[in-house]
Amino acid sequence: MLSFTYGIYGMVCMPIIPNCDKLISKKSYKADVIIYGGTSSAVIAAVQIKKMGKSVILVSPDKHLGGLSSSGLGYTDTGNKAVIGGLSREFYHRIYNYYAKEETWKWQKKEDYGNQGQGTPAIDGKNRTMWIFEPHIAEQVFEDFIKEYNIIVHREAFLNRNSGVEVNDGEIKSFRTLSGQKYAAKVFIDATYEGDLMAAAGINYHVGREANNKYDEKWNGVQKDVFHHKHNFMDFNISPYKNPENPSSGLVHGVSKEHPGKTGSGDKKLQAYNFRLCLTQVKDNLVPFYKPDSYNEDDYELLARLYEAGWDETFNKFDPIPNLKTDTNNHGPFSTDFIGANYEYPEASYERRAEIIKDHENYQKGLFYFIATDERIPEDIQNKIKTWGYAKDEFQDNNNWPHQIYVREARRMLGEYVMTEHDILGHKKVPQPIAMGSYTMDSHNVQRYITPDGYVQNEGDLGIKPKNPYQIAYGAIVPKKKECSNLLVPLALSSSHIAFGSIRMEPVFMILGQSAATAAIIAIEEKKPVQEINYKSLKAELKKEGQIIEL
């Protein structure tokens, strides 16, 4: 009998098959380039390879393609749109084309849509792009790419991370999936958020925050008493103890008893993950908030205390997307971000990752159920939350829950060049640029601790905005040559924690996917390691494809 568990990327079921090598016939596949991953970057990379006339197979652990871009993150973190070019911009143009059709506006008239984005209009009629969208529309765009370019996709194919990668003389020859399928190529691209292929190939990487003295940075490491947003407990003076007056009563759920660490010191902790939820108030398209599989009202004690103290910003990040839906993100001291629950995730087994993902699902479902039902919630807040629910026409094969958890940060490769805050803030010239970014260096909270005064506080939430768009180095997406000569890593790229906080935006990941694919083809044609390709040729090809690598 086959047993099942939740898959690594969201809630897709993945079979865990005993003696799978005996049950499933081993097949071998070859292509010029093999891409591992189902993210937006993976799809864009595959399109670019086909455009350049080479063969490609997209090996995706996901059933649904597009990563966060098609799984709830529709309120795009654009930054300066002028630096978004190439296939990344074409993605947003195709989104525009869908919303130009009257039939796309099922629950709302186009003229009634507020057209608000992140500091920019959602619909840019002049440039025929749209930056705010529904999950199912984004997924359809990715599937359109796959169909139009006749890209071979093997879905729900999980890399054998323990022994599945064959490396000889610093070169990946092939990898196997858990089902025994073998994939061989001249060049490989790891387009996962986690960097699983990169890690399984034996390439060095970092998890967590570096100490500030590692790269002579200011904003890396522990950042106690730095509050750039309103995602902290401010002056509410909330007790972390079950009995607020008695420290010996134990800690409420979600508070660590550990010291947060010295300011500027490094650790192995990660900024919080969450699901970007698609909610609606349209009664005919609404699934009411319901009790999750695992629910304990005590898990939300801190939120109840915040309400009692006067906090009133529940709905501040119900960001509107078309058809009267939202991209609902974290906001406030206690939010959809499940602080401290993801530290194991990057290195965890598939089974353990599935447990962590399920814990996040239960936490967020429980959060909304708590607000909707608990007697300690202010009446006006409770009445309003009951008008909201999950969008019935999104994620229909997953109980209207997003397929992909927001892996804001996992492994980060230690490659030929490490991007740091000095590159983001324009303090130094970036060598061999292949892309540009512009978004704030944004880190979500990393830990929740007890202050010396005996109150609860969050730590790690930062937002440092670059004055100008910045360039991203080619060396940041390639390993050191001595470690591997035929792999490119556009997502789990070589960057410090705080620099990654800006680079990690979905438009940039798509840009980097196209750049990685272009470099892969040049490496094949020049018969050189990816570290030694002719940069002038790469730059010329990127410009020809509409990539923006300098302003």
Side-chain angles (χ1 to χ4, degrees), residues 166-357:
E166 179 188 2
V167 181
N168 290 331
D169 297 325
E171 186 176 278
I172 300 175
K173 299 298 184 182
S174 67
F175 69 75
R176 291 186 182 274
T177 60
L178 292 179
S179 63
Q181 312 277 52
K182 182 178 179 180
Y183 297 89
K186 298 171 184 175
V187 177
F188 294 81
I189 296 176
D190 182 338
T192 64
Y193 293 118
E194 295 82 1
D196 279 344
L197 177 58
M198 176 264 296
I203 292 161
N204 286 310
Y205 56 87
H206 186 85
V207 175
R209 298 182 286 188
E210 299 91 349
N212 271 330
N213 59 15
K214 174 71 174 178
Y215 299 116
D216 192 28
E217 294 176 297
K218 177 181 179 181
W219 298 111
N220 210 333
V222 175
Q223 298 285 336
K224 294 195 303 292
D225 303 321
V226 177
F227 306 121
H228 287 171
H229 303 111
K230 298 179 73 174
H231 308 321
N232 61 83
F233 284 85
M234 296 171 274
D235 297 324
F236 284 115
N237 294 339
I238 303 296
S239 172
Y241 305 110
K242 292 180 179 179
N243 180 338
E245 308 300 328
N246 182 10
S248 65
S249 63
L251 296 174
V252 298
H253 185 264
V255 180
S256 173
K257 64 181 179 181
E258 296 180 7
H259 187 276
K262 182 180 178 182
T263 296
S265 63
D267 57 27
K268 295 297 183 182
K269 298 172 182 176
L270 301 170
Q271 58 178 306
Y273 296 174
N274 70 347
F275 286 93
R276 299 288 285 255
L277 301 184
C278 190
L279 307 180
T280 185
Q281 290 177 297
V282 178
K283 290 184 179 180
D284 291 341
N285 191 38
L286 182 152
V287 177
F289 297 124
Y290 53 86
K291 185 186 291 187
D293 296 337
S294 177
Y295 176 74
N296 184 345
E297 63 183 22
D298 292 340
D299 292 349
Y300 309 98
E301 176 66 22
L302 286 176
L303 181 59
R305 294 181 185 183
L306 276 167
Y307 281 128
E308 290 172 351
W311 185 74
D312 62 353
E313 299 178 13
T314 304
F315 303 98
N316 279 36
K317 284 301 289 179
F318 281 47
D319 292 317
I321 64 175
N323 280 309
L324 298 175
K325 300 176 188 176
T326 72
D327 169 355
T328 296
N329 197 11
N330 73 296
H331 180 77
F334 192 97
S335 72
T336 58
D337 274 1
F338 196 2
I339 299 171
N342 60 342
Y343 298 159
E344 295 178 60
Y345 182 87
E347 305 282 29
S349 66
Y350 291 132
E351 292 80 6
R352 179 62 186 133
R353 284 184 184 171
E355 293 172 352
I356 293 168
I357 290 168

Side-chain angles (χ1 to χ4, degrees), residues 170 203 415-416 432 474-475 477-488 519 523 528-535:
I203 292 161
E416 286 279 296
Q432 298 187 334
Y474 176 59
I477 68 168
V478 296
K480 293 177 181 176
K481 183 184 173 184
K482 64 182 180 181
E483 294 181 350
C484 187
S485 61
N486 68 334
L487 175 69
L488 295 117
K528 290 182 178 179
V530 294
Q531 294 86 357
E532 295 181 2
I533 64 172
N534 187 317
Y535 174 69

Side-chain angles (χ1 to χ4, degrees), residues 126-145:
K126 180 180 178 181
N127 294 298
R128 296 178 60 79
T129 51
M130 187 161 176
W131 306 91
I132 311 296
F133 46 83
E134 298 160 274
H136 76 276
I137 295 293
E139 184 172 1
Q140 187 59 56
V141 170
F142 288 118
E143 292 295 344
D144 290 346
F145 273 128

